[in-house]
Amino acid sequence: MDQLIDIWQSVGTDQRNMDKKYKAEDLIPQIVRLEKNQRKVLQFKTIGALSVMFILLLFFFTQFTLSLNGIIGIGILSTSILAVVIILNRLRFRISDQERSLSMHNLLEVTESKIKTEQRLFTIYLPLFLLFVILGINLMYVEYFIEMETRTRIFYHTILTISMVVAFLLGLSIRIKRFRKRFQPLLNRIHKFKSDLDNH
Amino acid sequence: MDDKQEIYLSIINEYRDKIIRLCFAHLDNRSYVDDIFQEVLLAVWSGLERFKHEASYGTWIYRITVNTIFLFNKNERKRRIEPLSGNFTSSSINEFEHKIQEEENLKILYEAISNLVELDRILIALYLEKLSYEEIGSVLGISANHVGVRLNRIKEKIRKQLNKQ
């Protein structure tokens, strides 16, 4: 085994010319620039989300009669959009640099739990969001359809609801596909690794 | 140059070879070594200010490296930085491969390691880096005893493989 250690360690000493190509010095300015860019992207995203919210609210207040139902509908809709944006952002799967320096056993636990939290998006948060959106939009349209016959109103509300459900299911199926592609292989590796770690 | 940069450079210069060797031991496709190495550098830079000296720099770097290797997803390159100067290009990979081929023993060792399961590849790579069982246990989050038992089995497997060659 000592001989193997020597063979192993020869890489990097014998290959020092190659390793010199990994100059840490050259990376510092790039890393600093990258960090600045990441901060800018975050600021840009926040400003973008707030602007979209503002435009939506402006649209709702100018297009719809400001009845009690309409105001409640707009309130429910904007609150649920805001909530889902915050939840999506907070639950987004990412391993921080601090978590990256955990022991591997702990990192596997953290990663698995994060993936399961991400899974909860599909089973809890997004269906709940759909319910609130359906409620909010239907409330907003109550006044809009008020002059129509009851059957026509029911028809329009049903169409609204069905189209939202269909759009939601389409979006959800894309997200689930992406999730399976991205996380299922990782989850399988985590389970295999954990079982190897636990078996002496 | 500030303190952070100085510490960063001294750590990276000390551990660069070790990080690269760990990557080579674990990856089937060696062209990803460059990506992983950069991810490790980024994580070290970002984590340096929060480093609490509860473990040695070595253990900390090894943890970051093995975790980065494990989590590496070739389809996700969000934090990509520009290629390093004097790049690790395909020609230098070939050059490196060529040198490895010259070292027949090293090639055989890599082959033997590549036949092991993922955890064992990491374990043997850390062992070959001369880490103690306690240090390996601290990197992986298992007991030194567990490391010892597992390593004995791995050594036996490698011995058998090398004897076959």
Side-chain angles (χ1 to χ4, degrees):
Chain A
M1 268 294 152
D2 286 343
Q3 200 191 340
L4 290 183
I5 291 175
D6 290 339
I7 294 169
W8 174 265
Q9 301 264 339
S10 70
V11 178
T13 47
D14 286 354
Q15 307 291 338
R16 202 159 281 284
N17 283 339
M18 184 204 75
D19 294 341
K20 273 181 187 164
K21 287 168 185 165
Y22 290 113
K23 279 185 188 162
E25 293 88 335
D26 295 345
L27 275 172
I28 293 177
Q30 286 191 46
I31 293 172
V32 172
R33 210 180 314 135
L34 192 79
E35 280 179 335
K36 273 186 191 165
N37 283 346
Q38 281 173 342
R39 269 199 297 273
K40 274 184 193 163
V41 168
L42 191 70
Q43 283 169 354
F44 185 74
K45 275 184 184 171
T46 313
I47 292 169
L50 288 174
S51 312
V52 169
M53 194 77 199
F54 178 74
I55 291 166
L56 276 176
L57 283 176
L58 205 69
F59 170 76
F60 292 145
F61 279 113
T62 48
Q63 290 296 309
F64 292 91
T65 323
L66 285 179
S67 64
L68 183 64
N69 282 335
I71 292 170
I72 294 173
I74 290 169
I76 291 174
L77 193 67
S78 19
T79 313
S80 45
I81 289 174
L82 200 67
V84 93
V85 167
I86 293 169
I87 288 170
L88 279 175
N89 195 43
R90 287 197 64 181
L91 294 188
R92 195 160 61 88
F93 178 84
R94 66 188 145 211
I95 301 291
S96 69
D97 291 322
Q98 214 165 356
E99 285 160 341
R100 212 173 268 262
S101 64
L102 290 172
S103 74
M104 199 160 192
H105 195 275
N106 289 342
L107 180 94
L108 295 179
E109 297 288 343
V110 169
T111 310
E112 190 181 10
S113 132
K114 285 193 173 192
I115 293 175
K116 282 181 179 164
T117 309
E118 178 103 4
Q119 237 168 350
R120 279 208 292 275
L121 268 180
F122 314 125
T123 52
I124 301 171
Y125 298 114
L126 289 180
L128 215 61
F129 171 65
L130 174 70
L131 280 181
F132 282 115
V133 170
I134 289 173
L135 183 69
I137 290 197
N138 276 306
L139 273 173
M140 281 160 59
Y141 275 94
V142 164
E143 299 299 322
Y144 202 76
F145 299 146
I146 204 141
E147 304 291 321
M148 298 174 185
E149 271 182 47
T150 315
R151 281 175 68 181
T152 319
R153 287 173 67 187
I154 292 171
F155 173 76
Y156 278 128
H157 279 292
T158 312
I159 291 291
L160 259 181
T161 307
I162 289 173
S163 49
M164 278 185 280
V165 171
V166 170
F168 173 81
L169 289 177
L170 276 174
L172 195 66
S173 68
I174 292 169
R175 269 191 161 267
I176 289 175
K177 262 186 202 163
R178 260 194 232 150
F179 177 87
R180 284 197 184 135
K181 195 179 166 194
R182 187 181 174 200
F183 293 114
Q184 204 53 54
L186 181 59
L187 213 50
N188 295 343
R189 281 178 65 217
I190 289 174
H191 290 154
K192 169 84 176 75
F193 214 95
K194 272 172 78 179
S195 99
D196 282 343
L197 272 178
D198 294 336
N199 289 333
H200 280 246
Chain B
M1 191 183 291
D2 60 26
D3 283 353
K4 184 183 175 184
Q5 287 191 14
E6 247 174 68
I7 298 169
Y8 172 77
L9 287 179
S10 72
I11 295 173
I12 294 303
N13 286 329
E14 187 181 344
Y15 288 95
R16 188 181 52 205
D17 292 350
K18 302 169 197 293
I19 296 168
I20 292 167
R21 282 196 293 261
L22 275 177
C23 294
F24 278 143
H26 193 79
L27 293 170
D28 298 328
N29 187 340
R30 288 180 183 159
S31 58
Y32 295 133
V33 170
D34 201 17
D35 285 336
I36 293 183
F37 186 71
Q38 288 187 348
E39 276 193 34
V40 171
L41 291 187
L42 279 170
V44 170
W45 175 264
S46 317
L48 205 54
E49 279 163 5
R50 286 188 297 270
F51 180 67
K52 290 173 185 162
H53 297 275
E54 286 163 357
S56 66
Y57 278 126
T59 306
W60 182 62
I61 297 261
Y62 284 122
R63 279 181 175 182
I64 290 175
T65 307
V66 294
N67 290 337
T68 303
I69 291 170
F70 184 81
L71 292 172
F72 180 70
N73 182 346
K74 63 180 187 298
N75 299 319
E76 265 181 67
R77 305 266 49 88
K78 283 179 189 166
R79 297 209 301 182
R80 190 84 170 90
I81 53 183
E82 292 301 310
L84 302 170
S85 63
N87 269 327
F88 187 50
T89 59
S90 55
S91 65
S92 59
I93 292 168
N94 291 338
E95 190 186 316
F96 182 70
E97 296 275 10
H98 181 67
K99 283 182 181 174
I100 287 177
Q101 276 166 11
E102 286 175 358
E103 297 278 350
E104 192 58 31
N105 287 336
L106 190 60
K107 190 184 165 196
I108 293 167
L109 176 61
Y110 274 135
E111 270 177 22
I113 290 174
S114 68
N115 288 328
L116 299 170
V117 295
E118 206 170 5
L119 169 64
D120 292 350
R121 270 188 264 171
I122 291 175
L123 261 168
I124 193 71
L126 293 171
Y127 171 79
L128 293 170
E129 284 299 331
K130 293 185 180 172
L131 264 72
S132 67
Y133 287 4
E134 282 77 16
E135 285 171 313
I136 297 174
S138 170
V139 171
L140 297 176
I142 52 178
S143 69
N145 184 37
H146 188 162
V147 172
V149 172
R150 192 129 195 147
L151 265 175
N152 282 338
R153 266 189 237 141
I154 298 168
K155 284 181 203 169
E156 195 52 43
K157 274 185 202 167
I158 288 184
R159 230 175 255 130
K160 275 183 191 166
Q161 288 227 25
L162 295 181
N163 288 338
K164 270 188 208 169
Q165 303 276 339

